[in-house]
Amino acid sequence: MEKEKIKEILFSRLDRYCRIHTTSDPASKTFPSSKNQKNLASILEKELKAIGMKNVKTDKYCYVTAFLEGNSKSGKTLAFLAHMDTSPAACGKNVKPKLHKNYNGSNIVINAGKGIILTPSNCPELKDHKGDDIVTASGDTLLGADNKAGIAIIMTGLETLIKNPHLPRPDIKVAFTPDEEIGRGTDKFNLKDFAADVGYTFDGDIKGTVEAENFNADAIEIKIEGKSVHPGTAKNSMANAARIAAEICSCWPENMTPENTENYDGFIMFDEIKGSIENAVLSGIAREHDIRKLKKMENLLRKIIEEKKEKYPLAKISLEIKEQYRNMKSVIDKNPMVLNKLLNAVRQAGIEPRIKPIRGGTDGARLSFMGLPCPNVFTGGYNYHGPYEWISLDSMYLSYKTLLNLCGQWSE
Ligand SMILES: [Zn+2]
């Protein structure tokens, strides 16, 4: 009974938030990157006040924060975070969520006309959700459960805590943040004012998933200065920068590219190549969970560059590697309770946690290095950033339970 009631509340929030257009814009120089995000921020601000949260405010950068006093003496302040923007990878305007009740294990038709159909073969993760209530978009847009499901779960959890003051809880802070999808979600976040001891981003996927490690990430830029000569008289006097760039790119071992790696395998990806005979720039990214392996991979790239320098003495070739972000595991390992209490909370919700390495970065990773250890918790969705996105309301309920259990865990 209680479960069905909460699922209804979770759905009504998810549905409401998803309909608000909050796509972030990587081309924008403003913060937040798109004005639309402020519309959701103002709704959330009102709603936080209405459910009884304290110190509710939205700052000029569109960070919505609030506070709830604890009823236990743990002395720690626990934070819950989720992001308001949706990925610019797919349209996020005029989202119309569709509820598919009591999933029967076969196909889910998102849009018959467009042939957008979820099946157990194009999405084996569905097999585990027979009997669940599933929410999808309607074929023209993404759904935006990433990360509006996180917001709905946190909001509903807070409401339950306030209505049930006997439930144990430490002091709680909440933050809804803009621009996560374009990698700027923590750029203007005032962590010092926020003043929490430990945080959890509710921004993961399938039920039970817990993410406490992510890639170490560097950006790569290779610059090549060539030497242009009339092709008719170029023998031994031309250096073609564009061709050298292409050669470096093709020298990189295939088994260390994103399209050939998974789980804990790292890669270097060249994602842009620009050039002419005189000048070329080859840029890319290096990703690896293990920092020593990252350095090893980068040394291999350096070796390739040295070989090309020797092969093309008329060209000038330089390599620059810049740190982007680091694996939060090193921070979380120093605070083992942060992960242990989360694993306990997931188990208390009745599921076995699945610890998964993130093949990317998260706001949680950045926050961890800023001083707020911050693993990532499942919300119950999948196929994010596109029209096949879906989420299970039953899994959202488990995520909500995990949040309440975390409050219990941090009250001890
Ligand atoms: Zn997300």
Side-chain angles (χ1 to χ4, degrees), residues 118-139:
L118 275 170
T119 69
S121 57
N122 71 23
C123 188
E125 285 73 14
L126 267 179
K127 287 180 192 157
D128 216 19
H129 293 80
K130 216 174 153 187
D132 284 11
D133 295 335
I134 305 279
V135 185
T136 67
S138 45

Side-chain angles (χ1 to χ4, degrees), residues 9-19 22 40 44 81-86 135 143-157 176 201-205 377-382 384 389-393 395-397 399-400 403:
I9 295 169
L10 287 168
F11 175 69
S12 85
R13 287 207 161 100
L14 178 72
D15 180 69
R16 237 173 345 106
Y17 304 155
C18 286
R19 286 172 193 271
T22 59
L40 179 56
L44 296 176
L81 303 98
H83 63 89
M84 296 181 287
D85 64 318
T86 61
V135 185
L143 172 62
D146 174 12
N147 186 216
K148 286 157 181 172
I151 300 175
I153 290 160
I154 293 171
M155 194 69 87
T156 307
F176 299 132
T201 47
F202 277 72
D203 191 18
D205 53 44
V377 187
F378 71 96
T379 57
Y382 208 69
Y384 293 151
E389 184 181 3
W390 59 273
I391 191 158
S392 152
L393 288 180
S395 298
M396 276 180 79
Y397 174 76
S399 176
Y400 155 90
L403 183 145

Side-chain angles (χ1 to χ4, degrees), residues 1-71:
M1 244 349 263
E2 182 246 355
K3 179 180 171 186
E4 290 311 308
K5 183 93 201 100
I6 294 293
K7 274 170 60 186
E8 243 172 62
I9 295 169
L10 287 168
F11 175 69
S12 85
R13 287 207 161 100
L14 178 72
D15 180 69
R16 237 173 345 106
Y17 304 155
C18 286
R19 286 172 193 271
I20 300 162
H21 178 207
T22 59
T23 311
S24 47
D25 176 7
S28 161
K29 297 261 186 289
T30 62
F31 208 102
S33 68
S34 58
K35 277 191 189 147
N36 295 327
Q37 295 180 67
K38 290 185 182 169
N39 299 335
L40 179 56
S42 96
I43 287 169
L44 296 176
E45 182 184 323
K46 282 188 199 112
E47 204 169 325
L48 284 164
K49 284 176 181 159
I51 64 170
M53 292 294 290
K54 297 286 181 280
N55 301 349
V56 182
K57 53 181 183 244
T58 307
D59 72 9
K60 65 174 175 178
Y61 300 115
C62 201
Y63 290 93
V64 183
T65 52
F67 173 69
L68 177 64
E69 200 181 341
N71 57 15

Side-chain angles (χ1 to χ4, degrees), residues 235-253:
K235 187 164 189 193
N236 298 327
S237 60
M238 176 195 273
N240 185 340
R243 203 175 64 79
I244 297 169
E247 193 177 306
I248 292 170
C249 198
S250 64
C251 274
W252 185 251

Side-chain angles (χ1 to χ4, degrees), residues 96-397:
K96 293 183 198 77
K98 259 174 126 170
L99 176 57
H100 311 260
K101 282 206 147 190
N102 195 7
Y103 172 54
N104 66 9
S106 63
N107 297 350
I108 296 177
V109 180
I110 298 176
N111 187 313
K114 289 191 168 178
I116 300 178
I117 298 166
L118 275 170
T119 69
S121 57
N122 71 23
C123 188
E125 285 73 14
L126 267 179
K127 287 180 192 157
D128 216 19
H129 293 80
K130 216 174 153 187
D132 284 11
D133 295 335
I134 305 279
V135 185
T136 67
S138 45
D140 303 310
T141 64
L142 49 63
L143 172 62
D146 174 12
N147 186 216
K148 286 157 181 172
I151 300 175
I153 290 160
I154 293 171
M155 194 69 87
T156 307
L158 294 171
E159 192 179 30
T160 297
L161 288 167
I162 293 167
K163 281 186 181 161
N164 300 278
H166 65 279
L167 292 176
R169 63 178 198 236
D171 284 352
I172 293 171
K173 292 271 171 94
V174 49
F176 299 132
T177 62
D179 289 338
E180 189 270 354
E181 296 289 3
I182 55 171
R184 301 178 201 163
T186 58
D187 286 7
K188 305 278 183 189
F189 188 50
N190 192 333
L191 194 60
K192 205 166 150 250
D193 271 11
F194 191 58
D197 297 304
V198 48
Y200 295 93
T201 47
F202 277 72
D203 191 18
D205 53 44
I206 288 296
K207 68 176 170 192
T209 310
V210 161
E211 295 162 318
E213 49 186 312
N214 58 286
F215 274 147
N216 293 293
D218 287 345
I220 289 169
E221 193 174 70
I222 299 163
K223 283 190 180 141
I224 304 153
E225 240 176 78
K227 196 179 161 210
S228 179
V229 177
H230 187 286
T233 57
K235 187 164 189 193
N236 298 327
S237 60
M238 176 195 273
N240 185 340
R243 203 175 64 79
I244 297 169
E247 193 177 306
I248 292 170
C249 198
S250 64
C251 274
W252 185 251
E254 260 182 60
N255 64 355
M256 284 188 244
T257 57
E259 56 270 51
N260 290 301
T261 48
E262 60 184 348
N263 301 322
Y264 280 102
D265 300 330
F267 60 79
I268 283 181
M269 169 176 79
F270 295 109
D271 54 11
E272 191 173 80
I273 174 164
K274 271 192 299 209
S276 62
I277 296 174
E278 289 210 297
N279 280 294
V281 180
L282 178 59
S283 38
I285 57 171
R287 298 288 188 263
E288 172 56 71
H289 291 97
D290 182 333
I291 191 87
R292 285 161 304 181
K293 287 188 186 161
L294 180 78
K295 299 293 171 198
K296 219 173 137 190
M297 220 166 43
E298 291 170 350
N299 283 337
L300 176 60
L301 181 62
R302 283 194 184 91
K303 202 172 143 236
I304 292 172
I305 300 292
E306 288 311 311
E307 283 166 14
K308 298 307 162 197
K309 280 185 185 168
E310 232 169 86
K311 185 173 170 189
Y312 298 105
L314 293 173
K316 266 191 203 154
I317 310 175
S318 66
L319 165 66
E320 195 183 12
I321 297 177
K322 269 195 197 144
E323 181 176 320
Q324 291 180 306
Y325 55 83
R326 288 290 173 254
N327 189 347
M328 67 172 137
K329 187 174 190 300
S330 62
V331 177
I332 291 177
D333 282 350
K334 282 184 204 137
N335 306 270
M337 278 204 313
V338 175
L339 182 59
N340 289 342
K341 285 184 188 286
L342 173 58
L343 298 177
N344 290 343
V346 174
R347 285 192 190 104
Q348 281 174 349
I351 31 173
E352 198 40 42
R354 309 189 316 166
I355 304 179
K356 208 177 85 178
I358 306 172
R359 289 181 64 78
T362 63
D363 274 1
R366 291 178 182 89
L367 289 169
S368 294
F369 283 94
M370 286 161 74
L372 182 69
C374 207
N376 194 22
V377 187
F378 71 96
T379 57
Y382 208 69
N383 284 346
Y384 293 151
H385 301 187
Y388 286 85
E389 184 181 3
W390 59 273
I391 191 158
S392 152
L393 288 180
D394 298 74
S395 298
M396 276 180 79
Y397 174 76

